Every structure is written in C-alpha cells, then in structure tokens.
Amino acid sequence: GAVVSQHPSWVICKSGTSVKIECRSLDFQATTMFWYRQFPKQSLMLMATSNEGSKATYEQGVEKDKFLINHASLTLSTLTVTSAHPEDSSFYICSARVGATDTQYFGPGTRLTVL
Amino acid sequence: DAKTTQPTSMDCAEGRAANLPCNHSTISGNEYVYWYRQIHSQGPQYIIHGLKNNETNEMASLIITEDRKSSTLILPHATLRDTAVYYCIVFTQGGSEKLVFGKGTKLTVNP
C-alpha cells in the first residue's frame, strides 16, 4: 500500500510556543491530505482537509488561525499548532488520498505534549 | 455521526479466524464499505474495501450481504499482532465526503 510518513513522531513543547508537524506521501502524489486529532480513549476526529495549492478547509469548531495548514506540494502538508496550550496535547494523524480509488492512507501519528 | 454499528469488543484465539461484524443498514447505492484498524498509539492502517462483491487481499476478506446492509471482516488466522481497534466506515468515492470514524471494535487476540 501507499506509504505516508510524519515528522516528528513525538514532541514536547512549552505552553505558548508553536509546533510544526510534517506529513509526507512517500511513493505517490496526493492532491488532498487530511489532518485528524485523537484524544485518549477516543476515536479520530477530522480537523481539516488540505488541498495542494489552495486553502485548507476546516471542520466546525477547529480554529484555522491556531492550526495552520500548508500544502505546498503534492507530497507534503504541514500542520502548525500556534501558541500551543496544554489542552492541545493530543495525537495528531495525517492521511493522504490516493486518487484512483480515493482510499486514504494514514501516517504513524505525532504525539504532542504541551507543558 | 458514523453510519455504522459495530460491537464494542471481541475476543479471538490465536490461530483462529476472527469475524468482525458491521451493520450499515442505511448505506446508499454508491457508498463503499471500508475497513481500517488502529494498533495502539499508531495511525490507522487500511485493510480492505468493497462495494457489492466479496473482496479478499493478503490481509483479510470482506463479505458483504446481498442487501448490503451488513458486512463481515474476516481475518483467517488471527495473530497476537492483529490485536487492534477495527473501524468499519461507509464512504462515497469521488466526492467531497470525509471518512468518519466511529468507536470501532476492539479485537483482542489471546494466546
């Protein structure tokens, strides 16, 4: 199957700082990528849809100015958590859609801990 | 909201077949049935998907009832590494629909 990577796999930061998470499709091009968040013992919640070359589409309740998404190329999308606070601590997961079948392949996730 | 219903948890003996059911009684004609699984602290892994016909790949088999209102994911010889949360999702290809994850089924494979 298609391979999606994320970097870093985990990050610890101080409250008020910004953190950037990268999502890459390694063996295919993805015009659309997705960002999810997962809190402990809960299911994945979609945060935003990232389209190459255009603005991301955010789900209701997700602050676009806090969670900045950039999809500058067909293989890279980045999520920047700005002015992070402890309540932003979560497991962030990206996925990329393979065009032919619309099947989404997921990255391994990034564990963010804000102190 | 998820359009599927799955049991909260299931157990299976190592080496035996694991049969995971999913109800999707309101599925529409152009919606596919997708299965993903999530091993603890990892991103979801794509398993298989289908529309009407039964499907098989190297990981699993997907059996869809004739009326398409339910399906079963079969892991033919479960191993301890198959312990995970399994998600059944209905999804329309080619549109703007998004994957919606429900609570899934926690499958525990016991030695």
Side-chain angles (χ1 to χ4, degrees), chain B residues 30-91:
Chain B
N30 60 347
E31 287 184 312
Y32 285 73
V33 180
Y34 276 76
W35 283 84
Y36 286 84
R37 72 180 181 184
Q38 187 177 26
I39 296 170
H40 183 62
S41 295
Q42 297 183 25
Q45 178 187 21
Y46 165 77
I47 301 174
I48 198 168
H49 74 278
L51 182 63
K52 297 179 182 179
N53 299 322
N54 298 335
E55 302 288 343
T56 296
N57 62 21
E58 65 278 5
M59 290 184 67
S61 294
L62 173 60
I63 308 298
I64 303 174
T65 58
E66 193 169 341
D67 63 8
R68 302 210 323 123
K69 292 186 177 182
S70 66
S71 61
T72 301
L73 179 74
I74 301 173
L75 307 179
H77 305 287
T79 70
L80 299 179
R81 288 177 293 181
D82 291 323
T83 292
V85 178
Y86 286 76
Y87 297 98
C88 169
I89 303 171
V90 294
F91 174 75

Side-chain angles (χ1 to χ4, degrees), chain A residues 52-110:
Chain A
E52 187 267 337
S54 64
K55 291 183 179 181
T57 304
Y58 291 82
E59 295 301 300
Q60 191 172 9
V62 178
E63 300 175 58
K64 62 180 181 180
D65 295 329
K66 181 171 183 59
F67 298 99
L68 301 180
I69 292 173
N70 184 281
H71 193 158
S73 78
L74 290 173
T75 59
L76 173 64
S77 176
T78 60
L79 169 68
T80 301
V81 183
T82 63
S83 187
H85 291 284
E87 56 266 31
D88 298 323
S89 297
S90 188
F91 192 48
Y92 291 86
I93 309 167
C94 73
S95 70
R97 188 161 69 188
V98 174
T101 64
D102 278 353
T103 299
Q104 287 187 34
Y105 293 88
F106 287 80
T110 297

Side-chain angles (χ1 to χ4, degrees), chain A residues 17-53:
Chain A
T17 60
S18 294
V19 174
K20 179 186 284 188
I21 302 170
E22 292 186 350
C23 176
R24 294 182 185 273
S25 56
L26 298 186
D27 52 359
F28 66 100
Q29 294 183 329
T31 55
T32 304
M33 291 183 171
F34 304 85
W35 287 96
Y36 295 79
R37 180 167 53 181
Q38 185 175 34
F39 292 106
K41 299 190 185 301
Q42 294 186 22
S43 192
L44 283 77
M45 293 297 295
L46 179 65
M47 298 175 66
T49 302
S50 169
N51 295 300
E52 187 267 337

